[in-house]
Each structure stands twice: as C-alpha cells, then as structure tokens.
Amino acid sequence: MQQTLKITILGTGTSTGIPVIGCRCPVCLSPHPYNHRTRCSLLLSCGKYNILIDTSTDLRQQALREDIRHIDAVFYTHSHADHLHGIDDLRAFNLSSQEPIPLYGSTDTLSRIKRTFRYIFDLEAQTSYVPKLALHPIDHAIVVIGGLEMIPVPLRHGCGTSTGYRCGPVAYLTDCNAIPQASLELLHGLDLLILDALRFKPHQTHFNIPQAVAVAQKIGAKRTLLTHLSHDIDHLPVAAELPDGIGLAFDGQQISFSVTCSRREPAEL
C-alpha cells in the first residue's frame, strides 16, 4: 500500500543550540533563520502515525512550532543530554493518548535513560506527574510502526556508539564519526541521507564537513543534508560551496516521499 512519508527536520544544531548563549560571533548574531538552530531531532509522519527520533532539549519549542499533536513512538540515537533531556515534554502527549509511549533504542542507551530518569521508570521513585513511557530495547531488530520499517544502523560516536535509523528511502545518521561496513550495507539506494557534520575543524566524536562530504559521496544517496551544525557554519555561504546533491539542513525543513508500507508484523521485543 502506497503512503506519503513526510520528514520534518525539527532541529539541526549541536549541543549548545545556535545562537550559543553569550556568543557574539557573526553566525550567532545572524538574523537569517537558517542560522537559528535548535537541538537535533527528526519527525517521521505517515498516515495517522508520528514517529520521533530523539527528545531534544528543545522538544517543547519544536512541537509547538510544527503543531505536533501526538507521538506514537520515540527512537533514540543515544543518551547524550541534547538528544534526551526533552523527555519530560512527552507528558503532554500522554494527556491526549492516555497510553504509554513506546521508547526504542539500543540496550545500552535505554539502560542509561532508565538510570538517568529514575523518577520516571522506577515505580518506587515515581512522583504523581511523570511521562508514561515503555522501554523497548531493539539493538539490531527491525520495528514496524504503522507499516513503516525502522531499521537500526549502528554507528561509532568517538569511543562510544550511537544508532542511526533507516526508514524506507531515508536514513538519519547523527552523532557519529565512523560508519561500520556492516552499517554501510544497510544504506544502499537512499533518496535522502541526513548526516552528522559538526564543523570544518576535526572533532573526536563527530564528522567534520569534509569527512561528511566524503562519506555522503561514498553512500551515494540522491540527496544528502548535513545536520548537527555548530556556530562555525554560516548556512548560506557554506551551502553554496558544497558539491551537487549535498546541502545543509535547517530547522523546520520538510521533505515528502511516496513509500510502500510493510505488511510484516512488528519484531518481537
């Protein structure tokens, strides 16, 4: 069955967000909206389903800006604060659904989330008003939601790991500085690749712009958008110098695709 998959890039900024508090650099002072970046997150919408990747620190702001009224599932890339600490804002979506929101991610990521937010997941520590959430470790399992297959893509993030996700013709790979060969095999035939690219200078846990361009060209998606951008990146002049087919993502950017929804049952969790 054919459906429209709409991708909304909720946030494209690194952990500080852009503008950076107290910074007076040209990018932080820029009036151009593409230089205003909330913390990284992505929304996939198909039919009646909304799937969120990461609960960024700016989730409330992003949800209000994009008029997001419900969330059916959250997939986590890793447990760093900028991708996680909007988790309390999931409470608002519980009020409308009255059902726990399933959270998916690697076993390590969900274990860290459970420890960090003990007051949410520990029945003995719970307060009266916390999000209703259900943890589902997936590691290499494919999860099907509303006919959409969410395929985990293991990544290297410095000395640790993160998880990217492929959904149909789209892959979202943030917070990484290396992609294992086995993961590259999951990325053939993409229409859209959204890829981590922090700045021009090298970094120990993120691709820089030249590295990201090289990886994008190796993967060969029809279109690549770079995300997790720092205040070293001035959108318009940098975008103008990138190779054909590679651009910079911006907050609120939307791209739609026609996809064939899966009839397979969800993976056992």
Side-chain angles (χ1 to χ4, degrees):
M1 179 173 143
Q2 291 294 116
Q3 292 247 46
T4 297
L5 171 64
K6 183 174 77 173
I7 304 298
T8 303
I9 302 176
L10 298 176
T12 58
T14 189
S15 58
T16 57
I18 316 298
V20 178
I21 294 172
C23 184
R24 308 295 291 174
C25 77
V27 173
C28 287
L29 293 177
S30 169
H32 198 284
Y34 291 178
N35 283 332
H36 297 176
R37 303 177 183 123
T38 57
R39 269 60 76 96
C40 272
S41 185
L42 189 79
L43 183 72
L44 300 92
S45 303
C46 190
K48 65 179 182 179
Y49 293 93
N50 279 339
I51 299 171
L52 183 66
I53 299 183
D54 289 336
T55 52
S56 87
T57 315
D58 302 307
L59 175 57
R60 178 180 177 275
Q61 177 184 346
Q62 294 164 345
L64 290 171
R65 186 191 71 213
E66 303 299 332
D67 193 27
I68 303 171
R69 302 186 184 187
H70 69 279
I71 294 294
D72 297 286
V74 181
F75 286 77
Y76 281 103
T77 60
H78 63 309
S79 61
H80 287 173
D82 50 323
H83 296 259
L84 171 59
H85 281 195
I87 193 169
D88 269 315
D89 289 325
L90 294 176
R91 293 181 301 178
F93 299 108
N94 288 141
L95 294 176
S96 58
S97 72
Q98 298 298 309
E99 296 290 337
I101 297 172
L103 309 184
Y104 300 95
S106 71
T107 299
D108 178 68
T109 292
L110 294 191
S111 295
R112 290 173 183 270
I113 291 173
K114 187 174 182 180
R115 290 197 301 271
T116 303
F117 293 92
R118 179 172 173 265
Y119 67 90
I120 295 176
F121 300 103
D122 187 334
L123 293 177
E124 295 181 0
Q126 277 186 356
T127 60
S128 59
Y129 190 41
V130 297
K132 297 178 181 179
L133 309 172
L135 299 174
H136 297 286
I138 56 173
D139 294 317
H140 299 287
I142 296 173
V143 179
V144 181
I145 296 177
L148 294 176
E149 290 190 355
M150 297 293 290
I151 302 172
V153 181
L155 306 169
R156 297 300 307 174
H157 187 27
C159 294
T161 61
S162 62
T163 304
Y165 294 96
R166 177 169 185 164
C167 180
V170 179
Y172 183 69
L173 312 180
T174 188
D175 285 66
C176 55
N177 65 330
I179 303 176
Q181 182 60 40
S183 295
L184 288 171
E185 297 299 322
L186 301 173
L187 301 173
H188 296 304
L190 291 174
D191 287 340
L192 176 64
L193 170 65
I194 304 172
L195 181 63
D196 182 45
L198 182 67
R199 62 191 190 190
F200 283 98
K201 294 185 295 183
H203 192 274
Q204 64 270 28
T205 62
H206 294 270
F207 287 130
N208 63 13
I209 295 283
Q211 290 168 334
V213 167
V215 168
Q217 291 174 330
K218 180 177 182 179
I219 292 172
K222 292 180 181 178
R223 183 182 184 187
T224 296
L225 294 173
L226 306 182
T227 193
H228 212 290
L229 307 170
S230 76
H231 65 162
D232 294 341
I233 306 301
D234 191 349
H235 188 104
L236 292 181
V238 172
E241 295 298 321
L242 292 173
D244 290 345
I246 301 177
L248 299 180
F250 58 86
D251 284 28
Q253 188 170 8
Q254 294 184 341
I255 309 102
S256 293
F257 302 91
S258 179
V259 297
T260 302
C261 290
S262 173
R263 295 182 180 274
R264 65 183 286 178
E265 293 299 315
E268 290 294 329
L269 302 174

